[in-house]
Coordinates of all heavy atoms in Angstrom, one line a residue:
M48 N 121.5 239.1 82.8 CA 122.9 238.9 82.8 C 123.2 237.5 82.1 O 122.6 236.5 82.5 CB 123.5 238.9 84.2 CG 125.0 238.7 84.2 SD 125.7 238.6 85.9 CE 125.8 240.3 86.3
S49 N 124.1 237.5 81.1 CA 124.4 236.2 80.4 C 125.4 235.4 81.2 O 126.1 236.0 82.1 CB 124.9 236.5 79.0 OG 126.2 237.0 79.0
D50 N 125.5 234.1 80.9 CA 126.4 233.3 81.6 C 127.9 233.6 81.4 O 128.7 233.4 82.2 CB 126.2 231.8 81.2 CG 124.8 231.3 81.7 OD1 124.3 231.9 82.7 OD2 124.3 230.3 81.1
S51 N 128.2 234.2 80.2 CA 129.6 234.5 79.9 C 130.1 235.8 80.4 O 131.3 236.1 80.4 CB 129.8 234.4 78.4 OG 129.0 235.4 77.8
E52 N 129.2 236.6 81.0 CA 129.6 237.9 81.6 C 130.5 237.7 82.8 O 130.1 236.9 83.7 CB 128.4 238.8 81.9 CG 127.8 239.4 80.7 CD 126.7 240.4 81.1 OE1 126.8 241.1 82.2 OE2 125.8 240.5 80.3
G53 N 131.6 238.4 82.9 CA 132.5 238.2 84.0 C 133.4 237.0 84.0 O 134.1 236.8 85.0
V54 N 133.3 236.2 83.0 CA 134.2 235.1 82.9 C 135.4 235.4 82.1 O 135.3 236.0 81.0 CB 133.5 233.9 82.2 CG1 134.4 232.7 82.1 CG2 132.2 233.5 83.1
D55 N 136.6 235.0 82.6 CA 137.8 235.3 81.9 C 137.9 234.6 80.5 O 137.8 233.4 80.5 CB 139.0 234.9 82.8 CG 140.3 235.2 82.3 OD1 140.4 235.9 81.2 OD2 141.3 234.8 82.9
P56 N 138.1 235.3 79.4 CA 138.2 234.7 78.1 C 139.4 233.7 78.0 O 139.3 232.7 77.4 CB 138.4 235.8 77.1 CG 138.1 237.1 77.9 CD 138.2 236.8 79.3
Q57 N 140.5 234.0 78.7 CA 141.6 233.1 78.7 C 141.3 231.8 79.4 O 141.7 230.7 79.0 CB 142.8 233.7 79.4 CG 143.5 234.8 78.6 CD 144.7 235.4 79.3 OE1 144.7 235.5 80.5 NE2 145.6 235.8 78.5
L58 N 140.5 231.9 80.5 CA 140.0 230.7 81.2 C 139.1 229.8 80.3 O 139.2 228.6 80.2 CB 139.3 231.0 82.5 CG 138.8 229.9 83.3 CD1 139.9 228.9 83.7 CD2 138.0 230.4 84.5
Q59 N 138.2 230.5 79.6 CA 137.3 229.8 78.6 C 138.1 229.1 77.5 O 137.9 227.9 77.2 CB 136.3 230.8 78.0 CG 135.2 231.2 78.9 CD 134.3 232.2 78.2 OE1 134.6 233.0 77.4 NE2 133.0 232.1 78.6
D60 N 139.1 229.8 77.0 CA 140.0 229.2 75.9 C 140.8 228.0 76.5 O 140.9 226.9 75.9 CB 141.0 230.2 75.4 CG 140.3 231.2 74.5 OD1 139.2 231.0 74.0 OD2 140.9 232.3 74.3
F61 N 141.3 228.1 77.7 CA 142.0 227.0 78.4 C 141.1 225.8 78.6 O 141.5 224.7 78.2 CB 142.6 227.5 79.7 CG 143.2 226.4 80.5 CD1 144.5 225.9 80.1 CD2 142.6 225.8 81.5 CE1 145.1 224.9 80.9 CE2 143.2 224.8 82.3 CZ 144.4 224.3 81.9
I62 N 139.9 226.0 79.1 CA 139.0 224.9 79.3 C 138.6 224.3 78.0 O 138.5 223.0 77.9 CB 137.7 225.4 80.1 CG1 138.1 225.8 81.5 CG2 136.6 224.4 80.1 CD1 137.0 226.5 82.3
L63 N 138.3 225.1 77.0 CA 138.0 224.5 75.6 C 139.2 223.6 75.1 O 138.9 222.5 74.6 CB 137.7 225.6 74.7 CG 137.3 225.2 73.2 CD1 136.1 224.3 73.2 CD2 137.2 226.4 72.3
T64 N 140.4 224.1 75.2 CA 141.6 223.4 74.8 C 141.7 222.1 75.5 O 142.0 221.0 74.9 CB 142.8 224.3 74.9 OG1 142.7 225.5 74.1 CG2 144.1 223.5 74.4
E65 N 141.6 222.2 76.8 CA 141.7 221.0 77.6 C 140.6 219.9 77.4 O 140.9 218.7 77.3 CB 141.8 221.3 79.1 CG 143.0 222.1 79.5 CD 144.3 221.3 79.2 OE1 144.4 220.1 79.6 OE2 145.2 221.9 78.6
T66 N 139.4 220.4 77.1 CA 138.3 219.5 76.8 C 138.6 218.8 75.5 O 138.4 217.6 75.3 CB 137.0 220.3 76.7 OG1 136.8 220.9 78.0 CG2 135.8 219.4 76.4
Q67 N 139.1 219.6 74.5 CA 139.5 219.0 73.2 C 140.6 217.9 73.3 O 140.5 216.9 72.7 CB 139.9 220.0 72.2 CG 138.7 220.9 71.7 CD 139.1 222.1 70.9 OE1 140.3 222.5 70.9 NE2 138.2 222.6 70.1
K68 N 141.6 218.2 74.2 CA 142.6 217.2 74.4 C 142.1 216.0 75.0 O 142.5 214.9 74.7 CB 143.7 217.8 75.4 CG 144.6 218.9 74.7 CD 145.5 219.4 75.8 CE 146.4 220.6 75.3 NZ 147.3 221.1 76.3
Q69 N 141.2 216.1 76.0 CA 140.6 215.0 76.7 C 139.8 214.2 75.7 O 139.8 212.9 75.7 CB 139.7 215.4 77.8 CG 139.1 214.3 78.6 CD 138.1 214.7 79.7 OE1 137.7 215.9 79.7 NE2 137.8 213.8 80.6
R70 N 139.0 214.8 74.8 CA 138.2 214.1 73.8 C 139.1 213.3 72.9 O 138.8 212.1 72.5 CB 137.3 215.0 73.0 CG 136.2 215.5 73.8 CD 135.3 216.5 73.0 NE 134.2 217.0 73.8 CZ 133.6 218.1 73.5 NH1 133.9 218.8 72.4 NH2 132.6 218.5 74.2
F71 N 140.2 213.9 72.5 CA 141.2 213.2 71.6 C 141.8 212.0 72.3 O 141.9 210.9 71.7 CB 142.3 214.2 71.2 CG 143.3 213.6 70.3 CD1 143.0 213.3 69.0 CD2 144.6 213.2 70.8 CE1 143.9 212.7 68.1 CE2 145.5 212.6 70.0 CZ 145.2 212.4 68.6
Q72 N 142.1 212.2 73.6 CA 142.7 211.0 74.3 C 141.7 209.9 74.5 O 142.1 208.7 74.3 CB 143.2 211.5 75.7 CG 144.4 212.3 75.7 CD 144.8 212.9 77.1 OE1 144.0 212.8 78.0 NE2 146.0 213.3 77.2
V73 N 140.4 210.2 74.7 CA 139.4 209.2 74.8 C 139.3 208.5 73.5 O 139.1 207.2 73.4 CB 138.0 209.8 75.3 CG1 136.9 208.8 75.0 CG2 138.1 210.3 76.7
L74 N 139.3 209.2 72.4 CA 139.2 208.6 71.0 C 140.4 207.7 70.8 O 140.2 206.6 70.3 CB 139.2 209.8 70.0 CG 139.0 209.3 68.5 CD1 137.6 208.7 68.3 CD2 139.2 210.5 67.6
V75 N 141.6 208.1 71.1 CA 142.8 207.3 70.9 C 142.7 206.0 71.7 O 143.0 204.9 71.3 CB 144.1 208.1 71.2 CG1 145.3 207.2 71.2 CG2 144.3 209.2 70.1
H76 N 142.3 206.1 73.0 CA 142.2 205.0 73.8 C 141.1 204.0 73.3 O 141.3 202.8 73.3 CB 141.8 205.3 75.3 CG 143.0 206.0 76.0 ND1 144.2 205.3 76.3 CD2 143.1 207.2 76.5 CE1 145.0 206.1 76.9 NE2 144.4 207.3 77.1
G77 N 140.0 204.5 72.8 CA 139.0 203.7 72.2 C 139.5 203.0 71.0 O 139.2 201.8 70.8
L78 N 140.2 203.7 70.2 CA 140.8 203.1 68.9 C 141.8 202.0 69.3 O 141.8 200.9 68.7 CB 141.5 204.2 68.1 CG 142.4 203.8 67.0 CD1 141.5 203.2 65.9 CD2 143.1 205.0 66.4
T79 N 142.6 202.3 70.3 CA 143.6 201.3 70.7 C 143.0 200.0 71.2 O 143.3 198.9 70.8 CB 144.6 201.9 71.8 OG1 145.2 203.1 71.3 CG2 145.6 200.9 72.2
D80 N 142.0 200.2 72.0 CA 141.3 199.0 72.6 C 140.6 198.2 71.5 O 140.7 197.0 71.5 CB 140.2 199.5 73.6 CG 140.9 200.0 74.9 OD1 142.1 199.7 75.1 OD2 140.2 200.6 75.7
T81 N 139.9 198.9 70.6 CA 139.1 198.2 69.6 C 140.1 197.5 68.6 O 139.9 196.3 68.3 CB 138.3 199.2 68.8 OG1 137.4 199.9 69.6 CG2 137.6 198.6 67.6
C82 N 141.1 198.1 68.2 CA 142.0 197.5 67.2 C 142.8 196.4 67.9 O 143.1 195.4 67.2 CB 142.9 198.5 66.5 SG 141.9 199.6 65.4
W83 N 143.2 196.6 69.1 CA 144.0 195.6 69.8 C 143.1 194.3 70.0 O 143.6 193.2 69.6 CB 144.4 196.1 71.2 CG 145.2 195.0 72.0 CD1 144.6 194.1 72.8 CD2 146.6 194.9 72.0 NE1 145.7 193.3 73.3 CE2 146.8 193.8 72.9 CE3 147.6 195.5 71.4 CZ2 148.1 193.3 73.1 CZ3 148.9 195.0 71.6 CH2 149.2 194.0 72.4
D84 N 141.9 194.5 70.4 CA 141.0 193.3 70.6 C 140.7 192.6 69.3 O 140.6 191.4 69.2 CB 139.7 193.7 71.2 CG 139.9 194.2 72.7 OD1 140.9 193.9 73.3 OD2 139.0 194.9 73.2
T85 N 140.6 193.4 68.2 CA 140.2 192.9 66.9 C 141.4 192.1 66.2 O 141.2 191.1 65.6 CB 139.7 194.0 66.0 OG1 138.6 194.6 66.5 CG2 139.4 193.4 64.6
C86 N 142.6 192.7 66.3 CA 143.7 192.3 65.5 C 144.8 191.4 66.3 O 145.5 190.6 65.6 CB 144.4 193.5 64.9 SG 143.4 194.4 63.8
M87 N 144.9 191.6 67.5 CA 146.0 190.9 68.2 C 145.6 189.6 68.7 O 144.6 189.4 69.4 CB 146.5 191.8 69.4 CG 147.2 193.1 69.0 SD 148.6 192.9 68.0 CE 149.7 192.0 69.1
G88 N 146.4 188.6 68.4 CA 146.2 187.3 69.0 C 147.1 187.2 70.2 O 147.0 188.0 71.2
R89 N 148.1 186.4 70.1 CA 149.1 186.3 71.2 C 150.2 187.3 70.9 O 150.8 187.3 69.8 CB 149.7 184.9 71.3 CG 150.5 184.6 72.5 CD 151.0 183.3 72.4 NE 152.2 183.3 71.5 CZ 152.8 182.3 71.1 NH1 152.5 181.1 71.4 NH2 153.9 182.5 70.2
P90 N 150.5 188.3 71.8 CA 151.6 189.2 71.5 C 153.0 188.6 71.3 O 153.3 187.7 72.1 CB 151.6 190.1 72.8 CG 150.3 189.9 73.4 CD 149.9 188.5 73.0
L91 N 153.7 189.0 70.3 CA 155.0 188.5 70.0 C 156.0 189.7 70.1 O 155.6 190.8 70.3 CB 155.0 187.8 68.7 CG 154.0 186.7 68.5 CD1 154.0 186.2 67.0 CD2 154.4 185.5 69.4
N92 N 157.3 189.4 69.8 CA 158.3 190.4 69.8 C 158.1 191.4 68.6 O 158.4 192.6 68.7 CB 159.7 189.8 69.7 CG 160.1 189.1 71.0 OD1 159.5 189.3 72.0 ND2 161.0 188.2 70.9
R93 N 157.5 190.9 67.5 CA 157.3 191.7 66.3 C 155.9 191.4 65.8 O 155.3 190.4 66.0 CB 158.3 191.3 65.3 CG 159.7 191.5 65.7 CD 160.7 191.1 64.6 NE 160.9 192.3 63.8 CZ 161.2 192.4 62.6 NH1 161.3 191.3 61.9 NH2 161.4 193.5 62.0
L94 N 155.4 192.4 65.1 CA 154.1 192.2 64.4 C 154.3 191.5 63.1 O 155.2 191.8 62.3 CB 153.4 193.6 64.1 CG 152.9 194.4 65.3 CD1 152.4 195.8 64.7 CD2 151.9 193.7 66.1
D95 N 153.5 190.5 62.9 CA 153.5 189.8 61.6 C 152.8 190.7 60.6 O 152.0 191.6 61.0 CB 153.0 188.4 61.6 CG 151.5 188.3 62.0 OD1 150.9 189.4 62.3 OD2 151.0 187.2 62.1
S96 N 152.9 190.4 59.3 CA 152.3 191.3 58.3 C 150.8 191.3 58.4 O 150.2 192.3 58.1 CB 152.8 190.9 56.9 OG 152.4 189.5 56.6
K97 N 150.2 190.1 58.7 CA 148.8 190.0 58.8 C 148.2 190.9 59.9 O 147.3 191.6 59.7 CB 148.4 188.6 59.1 CG 146.9 188.3 59.2 CD 146.6 186.9 59.4 CE 145.1 186.7 59.6 NZ 144.8 185.3 60.0
T98 N 148.9 190.9 61.0 CA 148.5 191.8 62.2 C 148.7 193.2 61.8 O 147.8 194.1 62.2 CB 149.3 191.4 63.4 OG1 149.1 190.0 63.7 CG2 148.8 192.2 64.6
E99 N 149.8 193.5 61.2 CA 150.1 194.9 60.8 C 149.0 195.5 59.9 O 148.5 196.6 60.1 CB 151.5 195.0 60.2 CG 151.9 196.4 60.0 CD 153.3 196.5 59.5 OE1 154.1 195.5 59.5 OE2 153.7 197.6 59.0
V100 N 148.6 194.7 58.9 CA 147.6 195.1 57.9 C 146.3 195.2 58.6 O 145.5 196.2 58.4 CB 147.5 194.1 56.8 CG1 146.3 194.3 55.9 CG2 148.8 194.2 55.9
C101 N 146.0 194.3 59.5 CA 144.7 194.4 60.3 C 144.7 195.7 61.1 O 143.6 196.4 61.1 CB 144.6 193.2 61.2 SG 143.1 193.2 62.2
I102 N 145.7 196.0 61.8 CA 145.7 197.2 62.6 C 145.6 198.5 61.7 O 144.9 199.4 62.0 CB 147.0 197.3 63.5 CG1 146.9 196.2 64.6 CG2 147.2 198.7 64.1 CD1 148.2 196.1 65.4
M103 N 146.3 198.5 60.6 CA 146.2 199.7 59.7 C 144.8 199.8 59.2 O 144.2 200.9 59.2 CB 147.2 199.5 58.5 CG 148.6 199.8 58.9 SD 149.9 199.5 57.7 CE 149.1 199.8 56.1
N104 N 144.2 198.7 58.8 CA 142.8 198.8 58.3 C 141.8 199.2 59.4 O 140.9 200.0 59.2 CB 142.3 197.4 57.7 CG 143.0 197.1 56.4 OD1 143.3 198.1 55.6 ND2 143.1 195.9 56.1
C105 N 142.0 198.7 60.6 CA 141.2 199.0 61.7 C 141.3 200.5 62.0 O 140.2 201.2 62.2 CB 141.6 198.2 62.9 SG 140.6 198.5 64.4
V106 N 142.5 201.1 62.0 CA 142.6 202.5 62.3 C 142.0 203.3 61.2 O 141.2 204.3 61.5 CB 144.1 202.8 62.4 CG1 144.3 204.4 62.4 CG2 144.7 202.2 63.6
E107 N 142.1 202.9 60.0 CA 141.5 203.7 58.8 C 140.0 203.6 58.9 O 139.3 204.6 58.7 CB 142.0 203.1 57.5 CG 143.5 203.5 57.2 CD 144.0 202.8 56.0 OE1 143.3 202.1 55.3 OE2 145.2 203.0 55.7
R108 N 139.4 202.5 59.2 CA 138.0 202.4 59.3 C 137.5 203.1 60.5 O 136.4 203.8 60.5 CB 137.5 200.9 59.5 CG 137.8 200.0 58.3 CD 137.2 200.4 56.9 NE 137.8 201.6 56.3 CZ 139.0 201.7 55.6 NH1 139.7 200.6 55.4 NH2 139.4 202.8 55.1
F109 N 138.2 203.1 61.6 CA 137.8 203.9 62.8 C 137.8 205.4 62.5 O 136.9 206.1 62.9 CB 138.8 203.6 64.0 CG 138.3 204.1 65.3 CD1 137.6 203.2 66.1 CD2 138.6 205.3 65.8 CE1 137.2 203.7 67.4 CE2 138.2 205.8 67.0 CZ 137.5 204.9 67.8
I110 N 138.8 205.9 61.8 CA 138.9 207.3 61.4 C 137.7 207.6 60.4 O 137.1 208.6 60.6 CB 140.3 207.6 60.8 CG1 141.3 207.5 61.9 CG2 140.2 209.0 60.1 CD1 142.8 207.6 61.3
D111 N 137.5 206.7 59.5 CA 136.4 206.9 58.5 C 135.0 207.0 59.3 O 134.2 207.9 59.0 CB 136.3 205.8 57.5 CG 137.4 205.8 56.5 OD1 138.1 206.8 56.4 OD2 137.6 204.8 55.8
A112 N 134.8 206.1 60.2 CA 133.6 206.1 61.0 C 133.4 207.4 61.8 O 132.4 208.0 61.9 CB 133.5 204.9 61.8
T113 N 134.5 207.8 62.4 CA 134.5 209.0 63.3 C 134.2 210.2 62.4 O 133.4 211.1 62.8 CB 135.8 209.1 64.0 OG1 136.1 208.0 64.8 CG2 135.8 210.4 64.9
T114 N 134.9 210.3 61.3 CA 134.6 211.4 60.4 C 133.2 211.5 59.9 O 132.6 212.5 59.9 CB 135.6 211.4 59.2 OG1 136.9 211.3 59.6 CG2 135.4 212.5 58.2
F115 N 132.7 210.3 59.5 CA 131.3 210.2 59.1 C 130.3 210.7 60.2 O 129.4 211.5 59.9 CB 130.9 208.8 58.6 CG 129.5 208.6 58.3 CD1 129.0 209.0 57.1 CD2 128.6 208.0 59.2 CE1 127.7 208.8 56.7 CE2 127.3 207.9 58.9 CZ 126.8 208.3 57.7
I116 N 130.5 210.2 61.4 CA 129.6 210.5 62.5 C 129.7 212.0 62.8 O 128.7 212.7 63.0 CB 129.9 209.7 63.7 CG1 129.5 208.2 63.4 CG2 129.3 210.2 65.0 CD1 130.1 207.2 64.5
T117 N 130.9 212.6 62.8 CA 131.1 214.0 63.1 C 130.4 214.9 62.1 O 129.7 215.8 62.4 CB 132.6 214.3 63.1 OG1 133.3 213.5 64.1 CG2 132.9 215.8 63.4
K118 N 130.6 214.5 60.8 CA 129.9 215.3 59.7 C 128.4 215.2 59.9 O 127.7 216.2 59.7 CB 130.3 214.8 58.3 CG 131.7 215.2 58.0 CD 132.1 214.7 56.6 CE 133.5 215.1 56.2 NZ 133.9 214.6 54.9
R119 N 127.9 214.0 60.2 CA 126.5 213.8 60.3 C 125.9 214.6 61.5 O 124.9 215.3 61.4 CB 126.2 212.3 60.5 CG 124.8 211.9 60.6 CD 124.1 212.1 59.2 NE 122.9 211.4 59.3 CZ 122.5 210.5 58.3 NH1 123.3 210.3 57.3 NH2 121.3 209.9 58.4
L120 N 126.6 214.6 62.6 CA 126.2 215.4 63.7 C 126.3 216.9 63.4 O 125.4 217.7 63.8 CB 127.1 215.1 65.0 CG 126.9 213.8 65.6 CD1 127.9 213.5 66.7 CD2 125.5 213.7 66.2
M121 N 127.3 217.4 62.7 CA 127.4 218.8 62.3 C 126.2 219.1 61.4 O 125.6 220.2 61.6 CB 128.7 219.0 61.6 CG 129.9 219.0 62.6 SD 131.5 219.2 61.8 CE 131.3 220.7 60.9
N122 N 125.8 218.3 60.5 CA 124.7 218.6 59.6 C 123.4 218.6 60.3 O 122.5 219.4 60.1 CB 124.7 217.5 58.5 CG 125.8 217.7 57.4 OD1 126.3 218.8 57.3 ND2 126.1 216.7 56.7
T123 N 123.3 217.6 61.3 CA 122.0 217.6 62.1 C 121.9 218.9 62.9 O 120.8 219.5 63.0 CB 122.1 216.4 63.0 OG1 122.2 215.2 62.2 CG2 120.8 216.3 63.8
T124 N 123.0 219.3 63.5 CA 123.0 220.5 64.3 C 122.7 221.7 63.5 O 121.9 222.6 63.9 CB 124.4 220.7 65.0 OG1 124.6 219.5 65.8 CG2 124.4 221.9 65.9
K125 N 123.3 221.8 62.3 CA 123.0 222.9 61.4 C 121.6 222.9 61.0 O 120.9 224.0 61.0 CB 123.9 222.8 60.2 CG 123.7 224.0 59.2 CD 124.6 223.8 58.0 CE 124.5 225.0 57.0 NZ 123.3 225.6 56.8
Y126 N 121.0 221.7 60.7 CA 119.6 221.6 60.3 C 118.7 222.1 61.4 O 117.8 222.9 61.1 CB 119.3 220.2 59.9 CG 117.8 220.0 59.6 CD1 117.2 220.4 58.4 CD2 117.0 219.4 60.6 CE1 115.9 220.3 58.2 CE2 115.7 219.2 60.3 CZ 115.1 219.6 59.2 OH 113.8 219.4 58.9
R127 N 119.0 221.7 62.6 CA 118.2 222.1 63.7 C 118.3 223.6 64.0 O 117.3 224.2 64.4 CB 118.6 221.3 65.0 CG 118.1 219.9 64.9 CD 118.4 219.2 66.2 NE 118.0 217.8 66.1 CZ 118.4 216.9 66.9 NH1 119.2 217.2 67.9 NH2 117.9 215.7 66.8
S128 N 119.5 224.2 63.8 CA 119.6 225.6 64.1 C 119.0 226.4 63.0 O 118.5 227.6 63.2 CB 121.1 226.0 64.3 OG 121.8 225.8 63.1
D129 N 118.9 225.9 61.7 CA 118.3 226.6 60.6 C 116.8 226.6 60.7 O 116.1 227.5 60.2 CB 118.8 226.0 59.3 CG 120.2 226.4 58.9 OD1 120.8 227.3 59.6 OD2 120.8 225.7 58.0
S130 N 116.2 225.6 61.2 CA 114.8 225.5 61.3 C 114.4 225.1 62.7 O 114.4 224.0 63.1 CB 114.3 224.4 60.3 OG 114.9 223.2 60.6
P131 N 114.0 226.1 63.5 CA 113.6 225.9 64.9 C 112.4 224.9 65.0 O 111.6 224.8 64.1 CB 113.3 227.3 65.4 CG 113.2 228.2 64.2 CD 113.8 227.5 63.1
L132 N 112.4 224.2 66.1 CA 111.3 223.2 66.3 C 110.0 223.9 66.5 O 110.0 225.0 67.1 CB 111.6 222.4 67.5 CG 112.8 221.4 67.4 CD1 113.1 220.7 68.7 CD2 112.6 220.4 66.3
E133 N 109.0 223.4 65.9 CA 107.7 223.9 66.1 C 106.8 222.8 66.7 O 106.7 221.7 66.2 CB 107.0 224.4 64.8 CG 107.8 225.6 64.2 CD 107.1 226.0 62.8 OE1 106.0 225.6 62.6 OE2 107.8 226.7 62.1
F134 N 106.2 223.2 67.9 CA 105.3 222.2 68.5 C 103.9 222.5 68.2 O 103.5 223.7 68.2 CB 105.6 222.2 70.0 CG 106.9 221.8 70.4 CD1 107.9 222.7 70.7 CD2 107.2 220.4 70.5 CE1 109.2 222.3 71.1 CE2 108.5 220.0 70.8 CZ 109.5 220.9 71.1
Q135 N 103.1 221.5 67.9 CA 101.7 221.7 67.6 C 100.8 221.1 68.7 O 101.1 220.1 69.3 CB 101.4 221.2 66.3 CG 102.1 221.9 65.2 CD 101.8 221.3 63.8 OE1 101.1 220.3 63.7 NE2 102.4 221.9 62.8

């Protein structure tokens, strides 16, 4: 008997959706913390242009890094599934 037998497909979809939402929230919180710590000095009523540019660059680099890592992990996973491990 497989693990998925008898499990409600709607429940599986719900869990998958909620897991994706949670991962996105963790990513956003990490991005916020990183860019805040990197770019913010003393908080003021308005962002000065230097801080605004820093935050924009930080967000763009964070997205670039996340995209790179995701693609790399997908390629690694694909490589592993295409060529099963052989132990000698």
Side-chain angles (χ1 to χ4, degrees):
M48 178 183 281
S49 72
D50 292 339
S51 62
E52 283 185 33
V54 177
D55 183 6
Q57 288 180 328
L58 178 60
Q59 286 180 326
D60 288 343
F61 174 77
I62 291 171
L63 179 62
T64 301
E65 291 302 310
T66 301
Q67 289 173 338
K68 286 179 187 178
Q69 182 183 16
R70 286 179 182 161
F71 180 75
Q72 288 176 346
V73 167
L74 183 65
V75 169
H76 288 296
L78 170 64
T79 302
D80 289 345
T81 299
C82 292
W83 180 272
D84 292 344
T85 302
C86 299
M87 291 301 294
R89 191 184 77 189
L91 303 172
N92 292 339
R93 304 181 86 208
L94 292 178
D95 62 0
S96 61
K97 181 180 176 184
T98 304
E99 187 175 346
V100 168
C101 179
I102 290 173
M103 286 176 26
N104 286 335
C105 181
V106 169
E107 288 173 3
R108 296 303 70 79
F109 193 91
I110 291 170
D111 289 345
T113 302
T114 302
F115 174 80
I116 291 168
T117 302
K118 286 181 181 178
R119 185 68 165 231
L120 287 173
M121 288 173 58
N122 288 340
T123 301
T124 303
K125 182 181 180 328
Y126 172 77
R127 286 185 180 163
S128 66
D129 287 347
S130 57
L132 293 176
E133 294 180 18
F134 294 101
Q135 297 179 357

